[in-house]
Amino acid sequence: MTRPRLTLPEPGLLSGYDPAEFFCEALSLRGDGEAELAAIAARLNALDPEDLRHRAARAEKELFDLGITFTVYSDKDAIDRILPFDVLPRVITAGEWSRLEAGIIQRVTAINLFLADLYGDQKILADKIVPADLVLGNANFHAFMRGLKVPCGTYSHVCGIDLIRDQEGLFRVLEDNARTPSGVSYVVENRNLMLQCFPDLMEDTRVRAVDDYGLMLRRALEEIAPAGVDEPSVVLLSPGIYNSAFFEHVFLAREMGVPLVEGRDLVVENDRVYMLTTAGKAPVHSIYRRIDDFFLDPKVFRPDSMLGVPGLMDAYRKGNVSLANAPGTGVADDKAVYAYMPRVIKYYLGEDAILPNVETFICREAEGLKYTLDNLEHLVVKPVGESGGYGMILGPKASRSEIDEFRAKLKADPANYISQPMIGLSVSPTLTTKGTQPRHVDFRPFAVTGASTKVLAGGLTRVAMKEGSLVVNSSQGGGSKDTWVLAGEGQ
């Protein structure tokens, strides 16, 4: 059922804009904040198209000047790209945010309880809530973490929950990102760009701030520092300049006010971690690591890793340094495990999930495989261990030969796949070469957990810049927007 929408006077920027049957993030009503939505939509509609393009170009130049880029390893001709920035913001009302925030905190709490159990007594496996082989056979489950107590009981300190909104306007969880989710730097920089280039758009609109993320993250890392350390030393460990998210590593280190280091800048002595400085060795107590598990310590993981720190895991096991996120969190964001998250929430918290999953069929199970093979033309099928939109097929948009080729892959390795129905993602007005047109969007809010979980009042809205496309991933041509979370009473 299509939600009622705001109507705007013509002519205007949104004249001719048609969201069709999809929920529109600018115009569809959602039960609260109607007056604020109407005021923002009217302000957007009144923008002069030529002036808007001029200011959009200015914002793009700012992105170039600031070096806000990401790396596409698969593109040999242009590996460093600017993430396309659309200047028309996405709006979330105070009432919507209140429910989202509660749902995200609930989910992250359950993820951390799940990980504590998997690396503890494994009661959830014994009770057959989640299949044991799905966890114990997962490449991201690290048996050496069993019995190791982590500070505050927190394993996933930074978590990005990918959400979509269906045609009825309901937010649903699409994926959990419990390892090293990226993109928060764009959330903050997009807001900075809006404040610089479109200050008039934000006038008289009470939008929640996002510039406190660095402080939020640093506080969490200090909370998880080893006991007895009064003034914890925090660093951000990066693989270095050739990593796709290196800009974000630099950005976050600056926002937190902590050193940005590579593996070669750290040394372990007597199971304690030190940073090499011009003044000598300085102790390190908490590490926000942006290196995959398998490269963290060549003595434990890949022996050929040149990115990690030899002996780091010994220091970690002795409780002399904390790592965020903890090794082994990847088992909780596996796409097959995702299908069990509503049951995981119920098991640990005794509550129904506030934010529902997208219906998911697990191809490792005979029933799920049969359904997927019988309905391949109507489903989205994804490999459980991939990200960035790679290795998947959108059945309704695939050719017959592509479906036949994918069917063979699926039959050869069904445990590697899940399938989901194709959801009609919500759309948002987007400035294109053809004028203001609807483009599909998703949403990744970020939760930070030390002693407790806090959610940044905003998030990364990704945009499928191509007409009709549902692929929002930046590595495949997607862009981003500023996300305005409207303030409620007393905020």
Side-chain angles (χ1 to χ4, degrees), residues 254-275:
R254 187 183 71 220
E255 292 290 303
M256 286 193 290
V258 305
L260 175 68
V261 300
E262 297 181 26
R264 61 191 175 185
D265 299 317
L266 302 179
V267 63
V268 177
E269 291 182 356
N270 299 319
D271 297 329
R272 294 182 183 278
V273 181
Y274 297 90
M275 177 173 58

Side-chain angles (χ1 to χ4, degrees), residues 284-336:
V284 173
H285 305 107
S286 292
I287 299 176
Y288 179 39
R289 53 95 174 194
R290 296 295 296 257
I291 292 179
D292 289 346
D293 286 1
F294 298 100
F295 295 91
L296 268 178
D297 181 348
K299 288 185 173 180
V300 175
F301 299 106
R302 287 182 52 155
D304 61 339
S305 172
M306 303 292 287
L307 303 175
V309 185
L312 179 61
M313 293 309 300
D314 286 337
Y316 182 65
R317 281 189 282 236
K318 294 283 177 60
N320 294 328
V321 69
S322 295
L323 295 175
N325 290 345
T329 56
V331 69
D333 71 8
D334 180 277
K335 290 182 176 63

Side-chain angles (χ1 to χ4, degrees), residues 306-425:
M306 303 292 287
L307 303 175
V309 185
L312 179 61
M313 293 309 300
D314 286 337
Y316 182 65
R317 281 189 282 236
K318 294 283 177 60
N320 294 328
V321 69
S322 295
L323 295 175
N325 290 345
T329 56
V331 69
D333 71 8
D334 180 277
K335 290 182 176 63
V337 172
Y338 152 90
Y340 293 90
M341 280 309 297
R343 285 179 248 180
V344 170
I345 291 169
K346 188 78 171 179
Y347 182 78
Y348 293 115
L349 302 177
E351 303 168 357
D352 292 327
I354 297 171
L355 299 173
N357 275 16
V358 173
E359 185 180 18
T360 301
F361 304 96
I362 302 170
C363 297
R364 69 195 301 276
E365 298 175 351
E367 189 177 350
L369 176 62
K370 182 178 186 309
Y371 182 85
T372 302
L373 289 171
D374 289 347
N375 296 277
L376 204 49
E377 295 86 350
H378 310 293
L379 297 171
V380 179
V381 189
K382 306 174 183 176
V384 296
E386 292 283 352
S387 61
Y390 293 109
M392 61 188 282
I393 188 170
L394 301 174
K397 292 183 178 290
S399 66
R400 172 49 57 191
S401 62
E402 288 170 333
I403 287 176
D404 290 342
E405 184 181 341
F406 203 89
R407 187 185 301 277
K409 286 183 186 176
L410 182 55
K411 286 181 175 177
D413 187 13
N416 190 41
Y417 295 95
I418 61 163
S419 67
Q420 296 170 327
M422 188 113 141
I423 303 291
L425 304 188

Side-chain angles (χ1 to χ4, degrees), residues 96-394:
E96 287 181 303
W97 181 252
S98 178
R99 181 172 175 275
L100 284 176
E101 184 178 40
I104 293 163
I105 289 174
Q106 180 197 54
R107 197 159 181 110
V108 171
T109 301
I111 285 173
N112 277 305
L113 291 170
F114 180 48
L115 288 164
D117 189 14
L118 295 185
Y119 292 119
D121 296 333
Q122 299 187 340
K123 292 179 180 175
I124 198 168
L125 304 185
D127 289 338
K128 302 186 185 305
I129 305 299
V130 177
D133 64 325
L134 187 63
V135 169
L136 304 180
N138 191 300
N140 292 302
F141 176 78
H142 300 320
F144 68 82
M145 288 290 291
R146 285 204 70 183
L148 195 155
K149 301 296 183 186
V150 298
C152 305
T154 301
Y155 289 78
S156 185
H157 307 85
V158 180
C159 198
I161 306 294
D162 285 355
L163 304 167
I164 58 171
R165 190 173 345 219
D166 64 20
Q167 288 179 229
E168 284 72 43
L170 180 65
F171 278 107
R172 294 179 179 274
V173 178
L174 185 65
E175 287 184 14
D176 301 299
N177 296 278
R179 282 175 269 185
T180 53
S182 61
V184 73
S185 58
Y186 299 108
V187 177
V188 181
E189 289 291 12
N190 286 352
R191 179 62 52 79
N192 290 337
L193 281 174
M194 290 301 290
L195 289 168
Q196 288 175 28
C197 301
F198 298 89
D200 49 325
L201 272 183
M202 301 192 74
E203 281 180 4
D204 303 323
T205 303
R206 296 176 60 238
V207 178
R208 301 276 298 273
V210 294
D211 59 358
D212 58 346
Y213 182 80
L215 181 60
M216 184 190 303
L217 181 55
R218 177 164 181 162
R219 282 178 177 162
L221 288 161
E222 290 174 344
E223 287 173 357
I224 63 166
V229 179
D230 293 332
E231 296 184 10
S233 171
V234 178
V235 299
L236 190 155
L237 176 60
S238 168
I241 193 169
Y242 295 109
N243 184 266
S244 63
F246 184 68
F247 160 74
E248 179 153 295
H249 304 166
V250 175
F251 174 88
L252 288 175
R254 187 183 71 220
E255 292 290 303
M256 286 193 290
V258 305
L260 175 68
V261 300
E262 297 181 26
R264 61 191 175 185
D265 299 317
L266 302 179
V267 63
V268 177
E269 291 182 356
N270 299 319
D271 297 329
R272 294 182 183 278
V273 181
Y274 297 90
M275 177 173 58
L276 301 174
T277 76
T278 55
K281 297 171 187 167
V284 173
H285 305 107
S286 292
I287 299 176
Y288 179 39
R289 53 95 174 194
R290 296 295 296 257
I291 292 179
D292 289 346
D293 286 1
F294 298 100
F295 295 91
L296 268 178
D297 181 348
K299 288 185 173 180
V300 175
F301 299 106
R302 287 182 52 155
D304 61 339
S305 172
M306 303 292 287
L307 303 175
V309 185
L312 179 61
M313 293 309 300
D314 286 337
Y316 182 65
R317 281 189 282 236
K318 294 283 177 60
N320 294 328
V321 69
S322 295
L323 295 175
N325 290 345
T329 56
V331 69
D333 71 8
D334 180 277
K335 290 182 176 63
V337 172
Y338 152 90
Y340 293 90
M341 280 309 297
R343 285 179 248 180
V344 170
I345 291 169
K346 188 78 171 179
Y347 182 78
Y348 293 115
L349 302 177
E351 303 168 357
D352 292 327
I354 297 171
L355 299 173
N357 275 16
V358 173
E359 185 180 18
T360 301
F361 304 96
I362 302 170
C363 297
R364 69 195 301 276
E365 298 175 351
E367 189 177 350
L369 176 62
K370 182 178 186 309
Y371 182 85
T372 302
L373 289 171
D374 289 347
N375 296 277
L376 204 49
E377 295 86 350
H378 310 293
L379 297 171
V380 179
V381 189
K382 306 174 183 176
V384 296
E386 292 283 352
S387 61
Y390 293 109
M392 61 188 282
I393 188 170
L394 301 174

